[in-house]
Amino acid sequence: MNDGPLFMHLLHIHLNDLLYSNAYSIALIKEEIALVKEDLEFIRSFYVNVEQRLYKNPWARVLDAAYGAKDVIDSIIVRDNGLLHLIFSLPITTRKIKLIKEEVSNLPEKVPKNKSLIVVNSPKKPVGSKPLTAGKIVVGFEEETQLIISKLTSVAKDLDVISIIGMPGSGKTTLAYKVYNDESVSTRFDIRAWCTVGQEYDKRNLLEKVYNQVTGPDSKLSENIDVADELRRHLIGKRYLIVLDDLWDTDAWDKLTRPFPLVENGSRIILTSRDTEVGLYGKRSTDPLNLRLLRPEESWELLEKRAFGNDCCPDELLEVVKEIAENCKGLPLVSDLIFGVIAGREKKKSEWLEVRNNLNSFSLNSEVDVMKVVDLEVMKVIELSYEHLPNHLKPCLLYLARFPKDTTMETDELKMYWHAEGLVELTEMMSVEEVMEVYLDNLISSSLVILFNKRGNHPTCQLHDLVHYFCFIKARKEKLFEWISSSDRCLQHCWISSSDLKHK
């Protein structure tokens, strides 16, 4: 892998898993594994507290020794020249790590005596942010908001479709979500349902999700039941509002709207898409709304509100914050991500200057031309946001890329996956459930994970398309995914956990 701190974090989890294993091949070297883990924990604690570039040479040797340790230990476990590694390689590797630990102990920067690795990496609540309860800040689009609300609540009885068209990160979903939850809108309809479609979708699965919102989460459908017909039966005679978020093509429109009856009672459909053709295809009475980018002053206002709340930006930060706002390119997503980087940090000019400088230096090296997706600056900001995450949160975020794009996940289910994969580090101060809650809270605060907390009884979350793309490329680059060939010749990917190695 290329990310040293992330590798060290995952190696810590891997070694910890091995220590809890009762496998015979592991029992032979448990004492050595414990020593390696203890020494690497000490070294990693040191580099959590200091800049790695200040001690670049020792850090490079630390990573080299850590890679070697993992290779030797895993080779012994899977019996690949195990005896040779057990007699020669393992003692040499443990000695090398011990010498590096002694060298680090004598460096000017000391690890605080009362600050163990668990404390250093323990999750912390984000400062000044309550994403699980607070509404999303929306700046601009006041006219657009009122226009959509007026169309949704008008006395016109014919079924109408309100399309919101715009580029990725422009705020289509946020705007749709805002009007969907507006009191004047929610009280007007008998039934409301939200459906995130995406580029690749399962028609039956999506219609079932709409059906469950219409009839209640406890409703069950047998496999031989036509979901479309059942959904249509429950919608007839009701004034409904259905949101089809992130629709990619006209074929999806035809397939998903078949169950929606053409009743003359003021029912409405909201459609969001990046493709104008899709909006025009679904049009009935209302022309598609092409969502503009934020104006410079709106980008500034959004960043100021996200960063300083009801307070004004301090004079000493005014110039640099406005410069950063210009780099948002009019995309609300970028403003949110930049806030995610600065959230919880001291509002010092040096912190903001670091963000500004990093925005000009980060780049994503991938085999896919990002410019075909959206302006490269957006991907730079996503990478910057990722780089500012604590190491224990990085694998939790990248893990989400194992799910198909546009997948909406229940937060409780996601936390269960994290725990099962061994991505949750336990602390003496918090329970497992509390730690996972803080993990999710921090990822939402970073704006890398989107939370929908007003739909049904179970909060759900998902990744923006561009964040998913970044995480997928990053996870492959860091060798966190392995590729398998399925029976339909489509390539699929799965997460590699330490348990996979132990069962080989």
Side-chain angles (χ1 to χ4, degrees), residues 74-340:
D74 292 346
S75 296
I76 294 172
I77 292 172
V78 300
R79 299 176 185 177
D80 179 14
N81 292 319
L83 186 59
L84 183 67
H85 285 300
L86 181 63
I87 297 174
F88 296 104
S89 305
L90 187 56
I92 293 173
T93 301
T94 54
R95 178 60 181 165
K96 185 188 295 185
I97 294 174
K98 183 70 66 177
L99 290 173
I100 295 174
K101 177 186 176 183
E102 292 174 1
E103 181 181 345
V104 168
S105 300
N106 295 322
L107 289 173
E109 297 280 355
K110 296 290 192 302
V111 180
K113 292 181 179 179
N114 61 344
K115 201 171 188 181
S116 68
L117 180 71
I118 296 300
V119 175
V120 169
N121 281 329
S122 63
K124 297 181 177 65
K125 284 285 184 182
V127 178
S129 177
K130 297 185 181 302
L132 293 172
T133 56
K136 191 176 183 67
I137 296 175
V138 181
V139 167
F141 307 132
E142 285 84 2
E143 294 179 5
E144 291 84 351
T145 300
Q146 292 308 313
L147 174 63
I148 295 174
I149 290 176
S150 68
K151 294 293 184 181
L152 294 174
T153 58
S154 70
V155 295
K157 292 188 176 182
D158 290 340
L159 175 68
D160 198 7
V161 177
I162 293 89
S163 300
I164 306 173
I165 311 300
M167 68 181 295
S170 59
K172 302 184 297 296
T173 300
T174 300
L175 179 56
Y177 193 65
K178 180 181 180 182
V179 298
Y180 179 81
N181 287 295
D182 184 85
E183 186 177 359
S184 64
V185 172
S186 61
T187 56
R188 179 170 176 77
F189 296 94
D190 303 317
I191 291 173
R192 293 183 306 143
W194 184 291
C195 177
T196 301
V197 184
Q199 189 173 10
E200 299 176 3
Y201 63 93
D202 182 304
K203 174 190 169 185
R204 180 181 174 88
N205 181 263
L206 290 179
L207 291 181
E208 282 186 358
K209 288 183 178 180
V210 175
Y211 178 84
N212 288 335
Q213 292 177 67
V214 170
T215 61
D218 295 329
S219 301
K220 300 295 182 182
L221 286 169
S222 58
E223 291 186 6
N224 58 348
I225 294 292
D226 189 319
V227 185
D229 286 345
E230 280 296 302
L231 179 57
R232 181 181 181 83
R233 187 169 66 83
H234 281 84
L235 289 177
I236 288 179
K238 304 286 180 61
R239 180 184 294 162
Y240 62 82
L241 170 62
I242 308 290
V243 178
L244 298 177
D245 184 36
D246 197 21
L247 207 64
W248 279 69
D249 54 52
T250 56
D251 182 58
W253 169 263
D254 288 334
K255 291 178 179 178
L256 294 173
T257 56
R258 182 172 73 86
F260 305 155
L262 300 177
V263 289
E264 295 183 357
N265 61 1
S267 292
R268 301 287 186 264
I269 297 174
I270 297 178
L271 178 160
T272 76
S273 178
R274 59 192 71 190
D275 192 337
T276 303
E277 181 185 349
V278 175
L280 291 171
Y281 186 80
K283 174 187 171 183
R284 297 188 67 83
S285 301
T286 302
D287 292 329
L289 169 64
N290 289 294
L291 196 61
R292 61 178 175 82
L293 298 178
L294 291 176
R295 302 182 182 99
E297 63 273 16
E298 290 173 333
S299 292
W300 155 248
E301 182 185 356
L302 177 58
L303 189 58
E304 184 182 36
K305 283 186 175 181
R306 292 283 276 138
F308 304 102
N310 295 324
D311 298 329
C312 294
C313 175
D315 291 340
E316 64 169 1
L317 299 178
L318 204 57
E319 183 179 346
V320 65
V321 177
K322 283 192 173 182
E323 189 177 340
I324 292 174
E326 290 176 7
N327 280 328
C328 292
K329 308 299 181 184
L331 295 170
L333 171 66
V334 179
S335 297
D336 287 341
L337 290 170
I338 289 175
F339 168 73

Side-chain angles (χ1 to χ4, degrees), residues 317-500:
L317 299 178
L318 204 57
E319 183 179 346
V320 65
V321 177
K322 283 192 173 182
E323 189 177 340
I324 292 174
E326 290 176 7
N327 280 328
C328 292
K329 308 299 181 184
L331 295 170
L333 171 66
V334 179
S335 297
D336 287 341
L337 290 170
I338 289 175
F339 168 73
V341 172
I342 207 72
R345 304 173 74 179
E346 293 185 64
K347 301 300 186 290
K348 292 181 179 179
K349 188 173 183 179
S350 59
E351 299 281 357
W352 286 92
L353 286 172
E354 181 186 348
V355 172
R356 185 202 64 183
N357 295 337
N358 284 332
L359 284 173
N360 297 327
S361 63
F362 271 84
S363 62
L364 180 67
N365 299 315
S366 72
E367 64 269 33
V368 180
D369 184 8
V370 179
M371 291 298 290
K372 293 179 181 177
V373 184
V374 75
D375 190 88
L376 182 59
E377 295 299 318
V378 180
M379 301 308 291
K380 287 182 179 180
V381 176
I382 294 174
E383 183 170 18
L384 176 62
S385 299
Y386 171 82
E387 292 296 336
H388 277 74
L389 285 178
N391 289 323
H392 63 268
L393 291 182
K394 288 181 179 180
C396 292
L397 176 69
L398 296 182
Y399 182 78
L400 296 179
R402 74 179 290 273
F403 299 97
K405 189 173 63 172
D406 298 303
T407 298
T408 301
M409 296 155 284
E410 289 191 5
T411 56
D412 289 343
E413 184 178 352
L414 174 61
K415 288 184 287 187
M416 179 184 69
Y417 281 125
W418 282 345
H419 187 38
E421 292 287 358
L423 299 180
V424 181
E425 289 195 76
L426 303 181
T427 74
E428 296 179 358
M429 299 174 288
M430 302 171 69
S431 66
V432 174
E433 183 60 36
E434 288 173 327
V435 171
M436 291 190 293
E437 188 68 25
V438 175
Y439 277 19
L440 182 62
D441 200 20
N442 277 271
L443 287 174
I444 294 167
S445 295
S446 72
S447 295
L448 289 165
V449 173
I450 304 169
L451 178 76
F452 295 108
N453 61 326
K454 294 184 180 179
R455 297 185 208 158
N457 298 321
H458 304 285
T460 60
C461 63
Q462 69 181 87
L463 297 180
H464 188 280
D465 285 358
L466 297 180
V467 178
H468 185 281
Y469 170 79
F470 170 84
C471 290
F472 183 74
I473 295 296
K474 184 71 174 176
R476 286 187 59 193
K477 184 178 180 181
E478 300 299 338
K479 303 293 190 290
L480 295 177
F481 289 153
E482 66 178 359
W483 290 83
I484 56 176
S485 180
S486 66
S487 58
D488 62 0
R489 297 183 182 179
C490 293
L491 283 176
Q492 299 176 331
H493 59 277
C494 66
W495 180 264
I496 298 177
S497 68
S498 57
S499 59
D500 296 326

